[in-house]
Amino acid sequence: MRRKSGHNIGYKKERVVLSDILPYEVPPFFSNRHFYNFLVKNKVVIDESNRAIQFSKDHSGVLKRLIQTLFGIPNNVNFINDTNFDYFKFNETAFEKVFLTIPFKFKITHKDNDYRELTVIHPINQLYLVGFYDKYKNTILYNTKLSRFSLRKPSKVSSLKYYKDNTNKKKKSKNQDIEIIETTDKEYTSLKTFFSYQKYSNIYEFYESYEYQRAEKRFDNLMKFDISRCFDSIYTHTLSWALSNKKIVKDNLFTNKDSFGGKFDRVMQQMNYNETNGIVIGPEFSRIFAELILQRIDKNVEKELYSKGYKYKEDYDIYRYVDDFFVFYNDDKIKSEILSLYKIKLQEYNLFFNDSKTKILPKPIITNITIAKEEIRKLIEHSMIFQFYDSEMKKQIGLKYYSAKDIITNYKAILAKTETSYKDLQNYFLAIIFNKLKSLIKKIQEEQEAVLHLYVQKRDTETKLDDVEENEKPKHQEKLDEIFEEIKEQEKELKSYHNQLFKNINEIIELTFFIYSVLPRVTYSIKVCHILFRIIDFIKNQERTKQSYLVKVPNASTEELKYIAFDFDKKHNIFKRIYDGISLVFQKSLSSEYAEVETLYLLPIINELGENYRFEEELINKHFRVFHIDNQNVKILNSSMNYFTIISLLNYINVDSNQKYTVIRADIQKIIIEKFNNFEKNNAEDIFLLIDVLTCPYVGTTDAEIRDFRRQVLDKIKFFDAGTSIADKNDIIEKIASYASDWFYSWKENDLGKELNTKRGHSVY
């Protein structure tokens, strides 16, 4: 497969915030892209040696206020207006304290009746990590070369590239009358991780690798195990033990504070409100922290095995992907030795072996999941809803018209036969559907382009027929007749494909919602959004193609365009099926404080459908529990609603030409104000909510209402100096709003296609 080419735009230390800070599972339109631009543009840095936060000069005073707000800097910290730059200068105590923050934690559904708590750290800690990575990047690379077992370890600093998708450029016909507007990857700045990793970016790459297959051939058994609640269990001080020596570290606590291990330990504590037991879950830097410890454990195990006479790659083979271990062996004695050693060595670092998840697979080493995936692949390959066909093709390859219901029935049978569960196969099944859908769309676009090209040839030949000498006319007429015949043949095929596609898309939508609804998870929500957005975008682009063609060829016949775009009824049949599927998801389950992100991904899909497909306020209130009515019939607002839900709902109600969401907007305004009753500068969630409310264009229906609400928020947190007039407050608010239109949530640049494309391939697991 041809790789996208990228244009290197250079190394910037601030790139850390683009790649290694946020969990994969944050909702759409939330990112650090604008924060990154802010840091680079304004040269914001932490000068640790001078205990200062430095930034570009700004005579308006707006930048000073923004930085003070964004990074939670207390009002009593000295502000110094220097010749070349401005900075906040801290004393030792205040400097240490400013990094002690409360992270924003949100829960996602992880396993049956269980949740995983993920973390977005405070902006001040994000800024600190920029300098930390820049200073210690080579130290990290040196200390992640210890283990020969690790499958995912930093190997070098990766380059930052700007990717341009040239699909349209390549596919565009030489004749400018023809341009099928395709669903494509948008241009985006993409950086998966600060470091390039050896050897695999995803666990499934290892399963399909030559390395895995070679180990299968050489050894009779595979043992799989993992660490029990690895990230929750890590004791931050153990990093220094891993990098040096436990006794040396404990005997030299003061000296260790300034070492790499001591600094990393301290920053992990501070960003997690001084917790030493457990590290934040989700960001890449946490995986690096864990990797540094696990590398030492791997090294210790290998050393002990060697001292006992067991040679790596000869007597055994061990692979570790983050905290998942794969041990290939022949002799049960070696297996027992390896298990025993890992239990001992993990305990030395306060980590524990997960007995319940240990599996032994004898030769042939093939898991039930692998068998189930192959069965699903065959099921899809032999179903007509995933390809175009004619009657001859159907006979040749034994295609069956499996409806979505038929595929679901067969899917359940595969699960039962292979003793696997939905969670084992959801990602795989949804990925297959997405890839097959892309192939269908690509095929129909190629057929459409071929027909349009024939019509261009027809017009050119007709023009020549009018202009040529009489004796030349028969030759041109013959050519014209050939084109007519070819058009008839091509249109017959295109008509069949067009009708099949309509049918197939409806079946694919039904199948997608079934797979998702049995086990909603954030990662599955993202894949479902990929599928649904691809369908919606294809339909919209078909309509744009038709309009663009009519502008360029105003005399085009209706015959020419009858199989470009679906008619009104077919388009809305598809849109309604998508709307009904999402509505059912919202009706079936109430959002909880543990799992709201799953459905937050589906809200932008509803927005993509347009004005005719909008949820009623009642459904939004019920699902997200915006309020409830108590026993005295009093409306009680949900003040525990978190930042992600608030901003996603504000974005959803942005298309509000009919004032449909007046009540819910007012409720959200009140919830925001109530949350700021307990505003804390060191609380990440408070800072994110505040900074995004100051740029959100949907907190009111008029400019005056928006300004008044922002002033109310800033008054609530005592932002203004005592005695500031309303006119001056409004002026400050206007300056803040003009400084940046987006912060962490993209209000103006919320291109769902771009967001989804940026997500693709970024998941580690």
Side-chain angles (χ1 to χ4, degrees), residues 288-465:
I288 290 173
F289 191 90
E291 180 68 22
L292 289 165
I293 296 168
L294 294 174
Q295 287 250 338
R296 172 56 64 187
I297 293 170
D298 288 343
K299 186 71 176 174
N300 291 346
V301 167
E302 185 184 358
K303 186 178 177 182
E304 288 277 346
L305 287 170
Y306 184 77
S307 70
K308 293 174 185 290
Y310 299 121
K311 292 183 180 177
Y312 173 58
K313 293 291 184 184
E314 290 184 21
D315 300 309
Y316 68 93
D317 212 345
I318 298 177
Y319 299 95
R320 176 179 54 77
Y321 186 87
V322 190
D323 60 341
D324 289 319
F325 293 80
F326 305 83
V327 179
F328 289 91
Y329 64 95
N330 291 319
D331 189 338
D332 280 349
K333 186 180 176 185
I334 295 174
K335 176 202 75 174
S336 300
E337 194 70 63
I338 290 171
L339 266 182
S340 175
L341 277 172
Y342 262 111
K343 284 183 179 180
I344 293 166
K345 299 303 178 185
L346 285 168
Q347 284 178 24
E348 288 176 1
Y349 291 87
N350 292 3
L351 295 171
F352 297 92
F353 181 84
N354 192 346
D355 287 296
S356 65
K357 290 184 70 175
T358 302
K359 290 182 181 176
I360 307 293
L361 299 170
K363 219 169 193 177
I365 301 171
I366 184 166
T367 66
N368 286 354
I369 294 174
T370 304
I371 296 167
K373 283 181 177 179
E374 179 59 19
E375 290 295 313
I376 289 169
R377 188 192 64 77
K378 288 178 186 174
L379 175 64
I380 296 301
E381 289 295 335
H382 289 86
S383 170
M384 290 189 293
I385 73 169
F386 291 103
Q387 50 207 297
F388 296 116
Y389 62 91
D390 54 34
S391 55
E392 193 59 36
M393 178 186 175
K394 183 180 172 183
K395 288 176 192 171
Q396 286 175 1
I397 63 173
L399 285 173
K400 299 176 183 177
Y401 190 80
Y402 283 136
S403 67
K405 287 185 175 63
D406 298 326
I407 293 174
I408 290 164
T409 301
N410 279 275
Y411 178 39
K412 290 175 179 176
I414 290 168
L415 294 179
K417 185 170 72 174
T418 57
E419 297 181 337
T420 49
S421 64
Y422 286 114
K423 70 179 176 62
D424 296 325
L425 299 161
Q426 296 285 82
N427 268 326
Y428 179 75
F429 206 164
L430 289 168
I432 285 186
I433 292 172
F434 178 65
N435 290 328
K436 287 292 183 182
L437 173 66
K438 283 199 300 181
S439 298
L440 285 173
I441 289 171
K442 182 181 177 184
K443 177 66 176 172
I444 195 107
Q445 287 172 332
E446 288 171 353
E447 294 294 322
Q448 289 170 335
E449 187 169 322
V451 168
L452 291 181
H453 186 69
L454 285 170
Y455 273 108
V456 171
Q457 285 185 300
K458 172 180 168 286
R459 272 195 302 277
D460 290 345
T461 307
E462 286 172 337
T463 302
K464 288 176 184 175
L465 187 61

Side-chain angles (χ1 to χ4, degrees), residues 14-76:
E14 292 84 1
R15 61 191 278 192
V16 171
V17 302
L18 287 174
S19 61
D20 283 34
I21 301 295
L22 299 181
Y24 170 77
E25 295 86 350
V26 296
F29 312 134
F30 177 85
S31 77
N32 271 347
R33 283 196 292 274
H34 305 294
F35 181 51
Y36 166 81
N37 291 335
F38 174 79
L39 296 179
V40 172
K41 179 182 176 183
N42 298 292
K43 300 175 182 173
V44 186
V45 295
I46 292 173
D47 181 354
E48 198 169 0
S49 61
N50 290 312
R51 296 194 296 271
I53 296 177
Q54 177 185 305
F55 48 95
S56 301
K57 290 195 70 63
D58 173 45
H59 298 293
S60 72
V62 174
L63 183 58
K64 173 197 170 187
R65 284 179 172 273
L66 282 173
I67 285 177
Q68 193 165 19
T69 302
L70 185 63
F71 298 121
I73 299 171
N75 294 330
N76 60 358

